Amino acid sequence: MKLAERLAALSAVVDQGTYQPALFSLADSWDRRKVEELVASGLVREVHDRYVDQLAELCATRSPKQRLRGAALDEAVQAALGDGPPEERGTWVHYPWSGRLVHVLGEAEYRELRFSRNRYKITPDEQARLRDKRIGVVGLSVGQASAVTLALEGVGGVLRLADFDELALSNMNRLRAGVHEIGLHKCVIAARAIAEIDPYVRVEVSRTGITEENVEAFLTEGGKLDLVIEECDDLYTKVFLRERARAHGVPVLMETNDRGMLDVERFDREPDRPVLHSLLRGLSAADLKGLTQAQKVAIVLRIIGPDALKGRLGASLLEVEETTTSWPQLASGTMLGGAVSTDAARRVLLGELTRSGRYFVDLDALVKDGREAEVLVDAALEEALVRRPLPPPAAPPLARPADKRTVTREDVRRLVGFGVLAPSGGNAQPWRFVAKGGRVRCKVSPDGGRSLNDFQSSASFVALGAAVENMVLAAPAMGLSAEVVDAGDASDPLAACDVVFRVDDSSYAVDPLCTVIGARSTNRKPGTGASLSDRAAAQLAEAAEERGGKLLLVTDRAAIAEMGEILGQADRMLFLSRKHNEEMGAELRWTEEEALRTRDGLDVLTLDVPPSALAAVRLATTWKAVEFAAKMGGGGALAKSARHLVASSSAMALVVFPGTSSRSYFEGGRALERVWLSATAQGIAIQPWSAMLYLFARLERGGGKALEPKVREQLGELRQRFLRVFEVPAGHAEILLFRLSKAEPPTARSLRKPVEDVLTFL
């Protein structure tokens, strides 16, 4: 036999029509026999078995926190394999057109792993909803990119393809195919490509394209299509398909391969909508049969719009059937069209893109000289990564001229200067002082607290109590007496007390705690985990008791770990709640200018996180960055910091005070400040966690008002766990929760507003 005859004979036996793979399970005896027959017949020319590798990747994907490697990963894989032989697990897929036999995961596991990188772009629930959708793609030249991209992204569980044509070499400027596929039906090429991406996708083909005889079956057989992507060239088919899709309430998308033009026609929502946005001016499909080339050009121009005249496509329309057989199309436009149509299809099917209309993703207009986008830099973050800490707030001098026989304004300024060094939630500094002579009215600012985390201004009264305690401690060291008396102003519920300072001949005992007021700080650095000595614990407890408070200490490591979990979950909850997230973000000061201008809030350097983690803080406190994670129930990483820091602590502590009135919180703040100053004097670091306590109060005494339902539910669960760690006496206000540790000094301290901003003289 001559070579030409042999080549012709071999060419005649090439499979030109098969596009469906055969799926087998070797655990099934019938399937096993079929595979044996395939192998014996020579129809299996290549075996690809990386099943165990796929299973290992699946195990690692399911346990991202563990970062399974080496022996741990091998153990997980062995557990997943079970006792049976690996070849009986999963699915063997035979592709007749290539002779390949491929071993893959079973359908559920295959989809779980293949779409694992879709997560957070497409939720698992959305992926499941998309898998139930039926999508038709008409026109498998440009439409091939759409069909394949749909399969890649997991949009559609049934893909129904329609075209009448075979691949020609001239199609290969834009259609992904090999030269060995010239002459192969375009539907078959697309179906095979999809099967090799995902053998579990159901693909149906119509090799005659869309006709009057098959259009009803195409749109409705086996269940109405959820969407049609129309990419055909024939004007009659283009309009006829839309007319029938409208009759059945099926939305239609079209991407034109010119200027990234996308048409969305929501016939499912607008059953009387004219096709192609009324651009045909009343023409029906029947009117488009038998048109001349000039007539076709006029219709095409109506559809694509007058702007097309300005580009090369407009000129090319005049050359059709003169110097070219059809209008030009490029691979870049085709690939872009596949991406644009798939993105739009996903959003239509998920109920996000609800309106009909025309859109442009025109690369010629978007990417050209003069349209360069500004290269943006997060200047605030970049500055925070390199700037030095600001000088900490300093305590005023204690020295006072002995011959001054009255309390002067300068004395009051100094005393208030000591007061404002007290802690406050988010460094809100929610205090105001009004002085007349030596009498200073101390009150909560009406706008100084944190809204959600300051139930009934309780946290603000705690901060004010701490400030008053500082003033009372400083007075004797200045040779003054200090008496805290009731404000006596029932009309002002924000007034906590008056502090009366006097100069007399008495000798006052100076409390050594006054010497560390200026050194007291929040320290968020990890501790060493060293145990808290009995002596230190006793001194802290005595400090609370001196002002009527009580210190509850937890030193058991298991209980400390549980508090880490509770606080971690609370942090995650707050970061994923819009109201709380925005409030936390508003407290942070990223730049030196902002910190110096406001002199309140938390300088991000006080967070004492490594520079590499500052970007994570930026993300976590930007609602738009975490909104999707909140919707998905993700954000597990947001709990890590609390767990890590609490685990490094010597103890967890809670200051409580009898009663739950504003007065109780005020007096509790005084007790808290003594505990904090005592810890400072002993070299013990304190990091407070205040938000959760005041949300508990809002939940229990305020009915959870202003809290999101999900936050209320989670708070209730955390409250029960919290009370199993801390036995809070009934009827006591919970003043502050904090961790105690041995740690290096903090890198930075938050600033304070000038005394003049919070002090008024009458």
Side-chain angles (χ1 to χ4, degrees), residues 134 160 214-225 248 250:
R134 309 167 68 86
R160 186 170 291 166
N214 71 9
V215 67
E216 298 301 313
F218 183 83
L219 290 170
T220 65
E221 190 173 67
K224 186 177 72 173
L225 293 181
H248 291 288
V250 178

Side-chain angles (χ1 to χ4, degrees), residues 530-538 553 650 682 684:
S531 299
L532 188 69
S533 71
D534 292 341
R535 180 173 178 275
L553 273 177
S650 304
Q682 298 179 70
I684 300 172

